[in-house]
Amino acid sequence: MFYPGPLVILGTTLQRRKKLANHTHAKQDSTHSHIGASLALLLCLVVVSIMVGKFDVTLRDLITVLWARLSGASHSLPPVIDTVIFQIRIPRVAAALVVGAALSAAGATYQSLFRNPLASPDILGVSAGAGLGAVLGIALALPTFAIQMMAFVFGMATVFTVYFISQAVRGHDPMLVLVLAGVVMGALAGAGVSLLKYLADPYDELPAITFWLLGSLNAVTGDEMWVTLIIVFLGLIPLVLLRWRMNIMSLGDEEARALGIHTGRMRLLFIGAATLITAAAVSISGVIGWVGLMIPHITRLLVGPDFRRLLPMSMLIGAAYLLLIDDLARAFAEVEIPLGILTALLGAPFFLWLLARSTRGWQ
Amino acid sequence: MTLAVHQLAFGYPDHPVGDQLSLTVNPGEVLCFLGPNGSGKTTLFKTLLGLLAVRGGGITIDGEDIGRWTQPRIARTLSYVPQQHDAYLPFTVMEVVLMGRSAHIGVFASPSQRDHEIAHEALQSLKIDHLAHAVYTHISGGERQLTLIARALAQQTQLVIMDEPTANLDFGNQVLVLNAIQRLARSGITIIMSSHDPDHAFHVASRVAMIKNGRLTALGEPKHVINPESLHELYGVEVDVVDFGAVTGHAATLCVPIIG
């Protein structure tokens, strides 16, 4: 499996990158300004997202309520606005931010590790496994939190099975075996999901299953958010600490070892961290495709493949992207559109467009 | 630093490639391996680098068995220049060369200012510092090969192993890379390389090791070892070895295949 070099280089991006690269310090400075500008944009988006939805919240309402909360004073607005902002909008916005950032961080990790722009957070079957766990939970009529736990545990278990298969099958490129084992386990989990859907009660369970598999941030509560946030944070620690080593891992197993890296340990750590992050995100949001594939890809075009810049920028862009998509899902139509449908609807054509503009093809 | 190979058996777990290979690499020399495709050159190199397990015999550096060395320790002693390829993410040349520093810096660390300076010196010594901020996947094959050699220099090892450094390069780039190898050798670095072109051994090698089916068939100075008989044994073709020194005015022994 080869990384096809710059799969897609947009002309303007290339120029910017050349300019960027003129000087190391200039590069660092402009990375900081990239991050600064993105953060500012994200903040605006967050404010808008809290206002968007069935129940109108004006900017003045938002400021009044936030100020009242911060200063401890009371305000004269109807209490339902408090409920909407703190019980519904803020957890949901936070969930979009965390899930978008998490899927993008995991995608960036897998793409660098596997040197493959098609790698995505579910390449090793974590989404398929999580899907099976969640569907099983729904079929057993478990409470929401238990369904999320099932999704998390099954997602992790699938990837560990994949990893142990790759360890047992020797004499091949370890990365290749990993990916193929991921495909196989994903197909197995998919079969399990299909079976459960076939057996499910078509009036009650089947819609819930379908809804979960399409992805949504509808039902996320504050408590679940905190659990997910903590797990994602834990998963990010090794990625941040080893951010430069990741660059060397992306050269491939042999070259990385010749440069003095213990690739076995390092790979296990990166896969473990990215899987933890993905499973935590998927367990509250359901399956949301394309984000983890597309966002790191676009980010790499903007800031280059150095993981020290790629990771934070992917997370920022991913968070903003999923927030925007979730706003669309809420505001676009009378009925809320599942996120997975929107990310695919927007992601697939965008990806094709990138592909068409590429200066060099896949290898 | 002296690298010695004693009765080495090497290959893959289910596929032995060579055995009973013994030789000593003298400090500061350029040892060039010649042999047909599949003769075991690359497998031998990977074994020397600790990428493949030793299947018998041993490898020592200054008398010390490197079988127990950790990967970072090997990487501080031996560096590897793989065949140039474009299977990288689009890193800049500088970013690629900096990766040569990984065995010298902490696991959680990023390259320091000093590491940047070392990488820059490596680029300068190969006269490609103007490429520092070019994207590795956009430059020519020869420039990529020089970048990988610069990465090995940044690794600051006494020994450099180069796997067919001139493969897949056009004529001009081959000469560029051969010149670079010559300069490194003059600076005191020991080079173990392989080539598919016996002429290249005449150009840069102090000694030649001929290898076929995983066994050493000849070892010695190019002018002693490379002759029509040994080339016939190695490649199964008819070749004349001709000294053009009188014509060119500088050392130029070339292998001329007899075609037709």
Side-chain angles (χ1 to χ4, degrees):
Chain A
M1 192 170 39
F2 288 102
Y3 187 81
L7 165 73
V8 187
I9 297 292
L10 304 169
T12 51
T13 312
L14 186 61
Q15 277 165 7
R16 185 184 313 154
R17 186 142 153 69
K18 271 181 186 154
K19 233 186 282 164
L20 248 176
N22 273 340
H23 203 268
T24 321
H25 294 294
K27 200 169 184 172
Q28 279 164 359
D29 287 349
S30 78
T31 304
H32 288 155
S33 70
H34 263 128
I35 291 181
S38 310
L39 272 174
L41 257 171
L42 193 60
L43 193 67
C44 296
L45 202 57
V46 166
V47 171
V48 171
S49 303
I50 294 176
M51 290 155 54
V52 167
K54 285 265 161 54
F55 190 97
D56 274 333
V57 175
T58 64
L59 189 58
R60 182 186 293 254
D61 294 344
L62 178 60
I63 292 169
T64 310
V65 167
L66 281 181
W67 176 248
R69 178 63 64 106
L70 284 175
S71 63
S74 59
H75 57 75
S76 54
L77 293 166
V80 65
I81 291 190
D82 264 313
T83 313
V84 167
I85 290 177
F86 290 108
Q87 304 299 317
I88 299 173
R89 298 278 164 83
I90 287 180
R92 182 153 185 173
V93 165
L97 293 174
V98 171
V99 171
L103 291 176
S104 304
T109 304
Y110 284 121
Q111 284 179 14
S112 289
L113 198 60
F114 291 105
R115 296 189 290 161
N116 190 323
L118 273 179
S120 64
D122 45 11
I123 191 169
L124 300 179
V126 60
S127 295
L132 180 60
V135 170
L136 200 62
I138 295 168
L140 295 172
L142 296 177
T144 313
F145 187 72
I147 292 172
Q148 288 168 352
M149 281 310 295
M150 292 275 284
F152 180 76
V153 170
F154 270 67
M156 294 296 289
T158 309
V159 175
F160 276 103
T161 314
V162 165
Y163 187 79
F164 284 116
I165 292 173
S166 79
Q167 292 296 297
V169 180
R170 294 203 162 267
H172 298 277
D173 178 7
M175 295 290 189
L176 190 65
V177 179
L178 261 177
V179 173
L180 291 179
V183 171
V184 171
M185 287 303 292
L188 268 178
V193 167
S194 297
L195 180 70
L196 286 168
K197 278 168 90 173
Y198 182 70
L199 296 174
D201 172 3
Y203 297 104
D204 183 18
E205 290 166 9
L206 194 56
I209 291 173
T210 308
F211 196 63
W212 197 91
L213 290 175
L214 289 173
S216 170
L217 298 169
N218 201 7
V220 178
T221 67
D223 288 346
E224 293 157 12
M225 259 308 304
W226 281 112
V227 175
T228 300
L229 196 62
I230 289 166
I231 296 175
V232 168
F233 187 76
L234 285 178
L236 281 173
I237 291 173
L239 297 185
V240 171
L241 285 177
L242 296 166
R243 60 198 183 280
W244 188 67
R245 297 267 142 170
M246 173 58 102
N247 291 340
I248 300 160
M249 287 299 287
S250 79
L251 304 181
D253 196 63
E254 244 167 27
E255 280 189 54
R257 280 167 63 200
L259 289 168
I261 306 278
H262 293 287
T263 53
R265 286 179 218 170
M266 204 65 89
R267 188 166 49 235
L268 184 62
L269 202 58
F270 280 131
I271 289 174
T275 304
L276 194 68
I277 291 171
T278 312
V282 170
S283 68
I284 58 165
S285 69
V287 181
I288 297 176
W290 289 96
V291 177
L293 192 155
M294 210 176 80
I295 299 299
H297 203 102
I298 294 166
T299 309
R300 192 160 40 244
L301 294 177
L302 291 171
V303 303
D306 188 336
F307 201 67
R308 291 175 292 174
R309 292 190 297 274
L310 185 65
L311 181 69
M313 281 305 287
S314 292
M315 289 175 63
L316 273 175
I317 296 175
Y321 176 72
L322 199 63
L323 191 54
L324 197 63
I325 294 278
D326 191 49
D327 289 349
L328 286 178
R330 281 187 284 155
F332 202 60
E334 272 302 302
V335 187
E336 194 178 312
I337 308 166
L339 277 182
I341 294 178
L342 275 184
T343 53
L345 218 55
L346 292 175
F350 186 78
F351 202 76
L352 280 179
W353 177 75
L354 279 179
L355 205 61
R357 295 207 44 172
S358 67
T359 50
R360 300 177 51 187
W362 308 83
Q363 279 180 349
Chain B
M1 251 174 197
T2 307
L3 181 139
V5 175
H6 315 275
Q7 292 292 314
L8 185 73
F10 56 98
Y12 297 87
D14 47 356
H15 174 57
V17 173
D19 61 1
Q20 290 174 28
L21 196 137
S22 296
L23 58 82
T24 302
V25 186
N26 304 313
E29 80 167 333
V30 180
L31 176 65
C32 180
F33 280 83
L34 291 178
N37 288 337
S39 57
K41 303 187 293 286
T42 300
T43 315
L44 174 64
F45 287 179
K46 285 181 181 171
T47 311
L48 295 180
L49 289 158
L51 302 179
L52 287 173
V54 169
R55 294 168 54 84
I59 304 161
T60 60
I61 286 179
D62 287 344
E64 203 177 328
D65 190 343
I66 68 169
R68 287 156 189 259
W69 285 17
T70 61
Q71 207 66 51
R73 184 162 179 204
I74 293 177
R76 284 190 293 268
T77 312
L78 277 164
S79 54
Y80 177 44
V81 180
Q83 279 185 38
Q84 63 87 15
H85 53 72
D86 59 358
Y88 283 168
L89 293 161
F91 288 111
T92 66
V93 165
M94 189 62 171
E95 284 166 346
V96 172
V97 174
L98 272 174
M99 292 185 202
R101 302 298 302 154
S102 63
H104 295 276
I105 62 183
V107 175
F108 299 135
S110 283
S112 65
Q113 193 56 43
R114 177 85 194 107
D115 293 313
H116 279 85
E117 284 162 18
I118 291 168
H120 198 74
E121 282 161 22
L123 287 171
Q124 268 174 341
S125 73
L126 293 167
K127 298 178 181 149
I128 51 166
D129 43 328
H130 60 285
L131 292 176
H133 303 298
V135 175
Y136 174 88
T137 43
H138 291 181
I139 59 181
S140 75
E143 290 167 340
R144 282 205 285 264
Q145 192 69 66
L146 290 174
T147 302
L148 297 179
I149 294 174
R151 185 177 73 189
L153 289 184
Q155 213 169 325
Q156 294 184 316
T157 58
Q158 291 285 306
L159 286 145
V160 179
I161 294 181
M162 301 188 190
D163 192 3
E164 298 202 4
T166 53
N168 301 318
L169 297 185
D170 67 33
F171 186 73
N173 277 320
Q174 289 186 15
V175 175
L176 219 59
V177 169
L178 289 172
N179 264 315
I181 292 171
Q182 189 75 274
R183 276 206 305 279
L184 294 198
R186 288 204 185 114
S187 73
I189 291 173
T190 310
I191 295 169
I192 302 170
M193 63 179 278
S194 61
S195 179
H196 53 98
D197 189 337
D199 288 347
H200 294 174
F202 277 122
H203 294 322
V204 296
S206 39
R207 279 197 305 160
V208 167
M210 290 184 169
I211 183 170
K212 190 175 186 182
N213 297 329
R215 298 226 175 179
L216 213 53
T217 58
L219 179 66
E221 285 180 48
K223 62 182 181 210
H224 295 143
V225 174
I226 303 177
N227 51 53
E229 295 76 37
S230 66
L231 291 176
H232 180 77
E233 194 197 330
L234 211 54
Y235 298 107
V237 292
E238 304 300 324
V239 185
D240 270 337
V241 178
V242 188
D243 185 354
F244 290 99
V247 183
T248 58
H250 57 84
T253 309
L254 294 176
C255 303
V256 185
I258 301 166
I259 295 171

